[in-house]
Amino acid sequence: MAGSMKDIKLRIKSVESTMQITKAMELVASSKMRRAKERVEHSRPYFETLYKTLTEIAAADPRARNPYLRRSEIKRTLLVVIAGDRGLAGGYNANVLKLAAQESGNVEVLPIGKRSAEYFAHHEAELFTQEVLLAADISVGFQLARQITEGYRKGEYDAVKLCYTRFDSMMTQTAVSIEVLPLAMEPTEQQKAEARRSQILYKPSSEEVFSAIIPEYVAGVVYGAVCESVASELAARRTAMDAATKNAGEMIDHLNLYYNRARQAAITQEITEIVAGAEI
């Protein structure tokens, strides 16, 4: 009985240590969330402004046959997959990697985040780069945008898709896949009419201005996706660690109950032995 009580006591101490770690990780994730949410909120207007500008240029010159707008048979796809640098974030990494694994056909993968790089290296996927790009490095989008657009123009791949986790709220994060290139950009009749009335002139030409903005647009999309993924990872980790802390507390309560029962049983046994010895 003494051995059983000692084991329970050691288990309680072990769970208490684990609970301290999960509580600390929850607090760290919560402290980083404010800045991550601000980055998400600031990145969205940048992307929306770029998209609006591109739509206006496309509406101003509908005859343009820009390679970024051209749709042909998709034989090869570049898949940009953004996951986390660490685990302990619930189903955050598993959800986005499962979505990316559903992509079929001839696919080249550009992983961002340690978990993404490890996953595709393990599955022997064809990689865009052997360098491990960290999701925490939010400047990664601007470094890759020109490489991605240059490869697309050269015909190394016919489409560029992006898999990431969209930050909906603190409790909800959704793994999504979007097509970045070629652009699905159809100006409305109102936009075309406004473009005809506009006095804006593009030098040297609207098509060249359009092509010059595309790398910035791709960088904005990737940057925004990285910001949303980082915020989603922190929110998922905070939720997971909060649940783990609560589970540890419940486990400690159950173990304390077992310990008290074992202690009462030991006391009862000692009293019984003393009474039995006195009667003899």
Side-chain angles (χ1 to χ4, degrees):
M1 185 65 68
S4 176
M5 290 173 60
K6 185 178 180 181
D7 292 340
I8 294 174
K9 201 69 175 176
L10 290 173
R11 184 75 185 279
I12 290 173
K13 289 183 178 179
S14 175
V15 175
E16 285 176 344
S17 298
T18 302
M19 187 169 68
Q20 289 177 351
I21 294 171
T22 57
K23 186 63 178 178
M25 293 183 69
E26 178 192 349
L27 293 174
V28 170
S30 298
S31 66
K32 292 180 178 180
M33 269 304 305
R34 183 180 61 84
R35 184 175 295 179
K37 286 176 67 177
E38 287 178 356
R39 282 200 296 261
V40 170
E41 292 168 358
H42 293 162
S43 67
R44 285 172 179 168
Y46 176 78
F47 163 74
E48 291 168 359
T49 302
L50 281 175
Y51 187 84
K52 181 182 177 183
T53 303
L54 289 171
T55 305
E56 290 173 351
I57 297 174
D61 189 4
R63 297 169 300 173
R65 290 292 178 265
N66 195 282
Y68 296 114
L69 295 171
R70 189 183 304 121
R71 286 193 168 272
S72 57
E73 182 183 358
I74 298 177
K75 299 178 181 178
R76 185 174 176 81
T77 301
L78 175 65
L79 186 64
V80 183
V81 184
I82 304 174
D85 296 323
R86 293 177 294 173
L88 298 177
Y92 166 75
N93 289 313
N95 291 338
V96 70
L97 293 175
K98 181 180 179 181
L99 178 65
Q102 295 175 2
E103 189 68 31
S104 59
N106 188 0
V107 177
E108 183 178 354
V109 181
L110 171 54
I112 299 177
K114 285 184 179 179
R115 288 291 182 265
S116 180
E118 291 170 359
Y119 176 86
F120 289 105
H122 177 71
H123 287 78
E124 299 181 349
E126 184 178 352
L127 301 180
F128 181 82
T129 176
Q130 297 298 323
E131 181 183 359
V132 177
L133 304 172
L134 301 181
D137 183 8
I138 59 175
S139 63
V140 68
F142 297 94
Q143 298 172 0
L144 292 174
R146 294 198 178 278
Q147 297 179 39
I148 293 173
T149 52
E150 184 179 350
Y152 181 82
R153 286 182 66 93
K154 290 179 178 178
E156 295 176 4
Y157 31 84
D158 306 299
V160 179
K161 291 186 178 181
L162 177 63
C163 287
Y164 70 102
T165 305
R166 185 181 64 223
F167 179 79
D168 297 324
S169 67
M170 287 294 296
M171 300 302 298
T172 307
Q173 302 85 40
T174 308
V176 295
S177 176
I178 62 172
E179 188 175 77
V180 181
L181 294 174
L183 294 171
M185 194 170 289
E186 287 294 333
T188 63
E189 292 300 324
Q190 181 181 354
Q191 288 173 327
K192 292 179 180 179
E194 290 176 355
R196 286 193 294 269
R197 292 193 300 268
S198 175
Q199 300 299 315
I200 298 176
L201 297 176
Y202 299 98
K203 295 293 184 179
S205 68
S206 59
E207 188 168 350
E208 291 189 36
V209 173
F210 190 93
S211 297
I213 295 176
I214 289 296
E216 297 296 325
Y217 168 79
V218 174
V221 172
V222 176
Y223 173 79
V226 170
C227 290
E228 298 233 7
S229 294
V230 170
S232 298
E233 180 183 5
L234 291 172
R237 181 169 293 114
R238 178 185 176 279
T239 301
M241 292 301 100
D242 179 56
T245 301
K246 290 178 180 177
N247 290 338
E250 292 176 0
M251 187 177 292
I252 289 172
D253 291 340
H254 288 306
L255 289 172
N256 280 325
L257 181 62
Y258 295 148
Y259 178 80
N260 290 333
R261 286 178 178 174
R263 183 169 174 271
Q264 289 172 359
I267 292 172
T268 302
Q269 184 177 354
E270 288 180 8
I271 292 174
T272 303
E273 291 175 353
I274 291 171
V275 171
E279 291 178 351
I280 295 174

